Amino acid sequence: MKDPSTNIFLVPTIALVITISLFVFFYRKAEDKGMYSWFLMSIAIISFLLNTIWELAHGPLYQGYQYDFQHVSICMLASLEDTMVVLILVFLFGVVFRNVFWANHLTMGKIIALALVGGIGATIVEMWYTSKGDWAYADAMPLIPWLGVGVSPILQFTILPIIIFFVSKRVLQIK
């Protein structure tokens, strides 16, 4: 891994601004602000934990990755960004479904939409970062033909948000 360019800070900065803006938007509309905050906190904590595990597990699929302080720290920062993206998905789908708690009532249609949006978004981000040279794949990374992006990061945002929402529903014990 080469030293990251300033471009690598652009997406997290945009994600943070969007996350805060949408949090405030839905907070103002929430009837039960405590439940709203607990709902998002549970998603954020579960998202951070699961994304950290994923980031550390697929780290060796990137060139130059080592389990040292620098690389583990980058994985932790990536997990924070991943968590913000999961929250953005909650909020954006909340706008579409006119209910920020939509993730507590997943239907097959919502799962498919979430997987598509997550997978397409991850593909675009991976293409952008790899084209800028902010990271590169090791030979061990399986690639999606014609796109040249890694399978692991695409799967991360295709399936992990769904798992996060199922786990968070269990944590909140919502029926």
Side-chain angles (χ1 to χ4, degrees):
M1 170 192 284
K2 68 176 192 137
D3 288 334
S5 70
T6 55
N7 292 327
I8 203 161
F9 298 104
L10 182 61
V11 172
T13 302
I14 292 168
L16 181 60
V17 169
I18 292 171
T19 303
I20 292 170
S21 300
L22 289 170
F23 173 85
V24 170
F25 173 79
F26 280 106
Y27 185 82
R28 289 181 179 161
K29 293 179 175 245
E31 290 178 26
D32 184 344
K33 293 180 181 354
M35 180 59 179
Y36 170 77
S37 297
W38 177 238
F39 168 71
L40 292 176
M41 183 63 71
S42 71
I43 288 174
I45 290 169
I46 293 163
S47 177
F48 180 75
L49 292 173
L50 292 180
N51 276 296
T52 298
I53 291 167
W54 193 294
E55 292 288 346
L56 292 171
H58 83 172
L61 299 174
Y62 290 86
Q63 274 185 6
Y65 185 84
Q66 298 174 5
Y67 286 105
D68 60 14
F69 181 77
Q70 177 189 3
H71 289 96
V72 170
S73 297
I74 290 169
C75 285
M76 301 294 281
L77 287 173
S79 298
L80 283 173
E81 179 184 351
D82 297 339
T83 297
M84 286 187 289
V85 173
V86 168
L87 290 172
I88 290 169
L89 288 171
V90 170
F91 295 134
L92 292 180
F93 277 76
V95 169
V96 170
F97 296 120
R98 300 178 197 266
N99 180 356
V100 75
F101 297 104
W102 67 272
N104 288 330
H105 310 286
L106 289 176
T107 63
M108 189 53 68
K110 289 176 184 175
I111 290 170
I112 291 169
L114 184 58
L116 284 172
V117 169
I120 291 168
T123 300
I124 293 167
V125 169
E126 285 294 307
M127 291 172 80
W128 189 65
Y129 278 134
T130 55
S131 73
K132 298 286 185 196
D134 288 319
W135 58 68
Y137 303 126
D139 291 338
M141 175 70 83
L143 299 178
I144 297 173
W146 303 291
L147 296 176
V149 296
V151 170
S152 181
I154 305 311
L155 282 178
Q156 182 178 4
F157 268 94
T158 301
I159 63 172
L160 207 52
I162 297 163
I163 294 168
I164 290 164
F165 297 145
F166 275 117
V167 171
S168 113
K169 181 178 177 178
R170 299 281 283 164
V171 166
L172 294 172
Q173 298 179 345
I174 295 171
K175 294 181 180 36

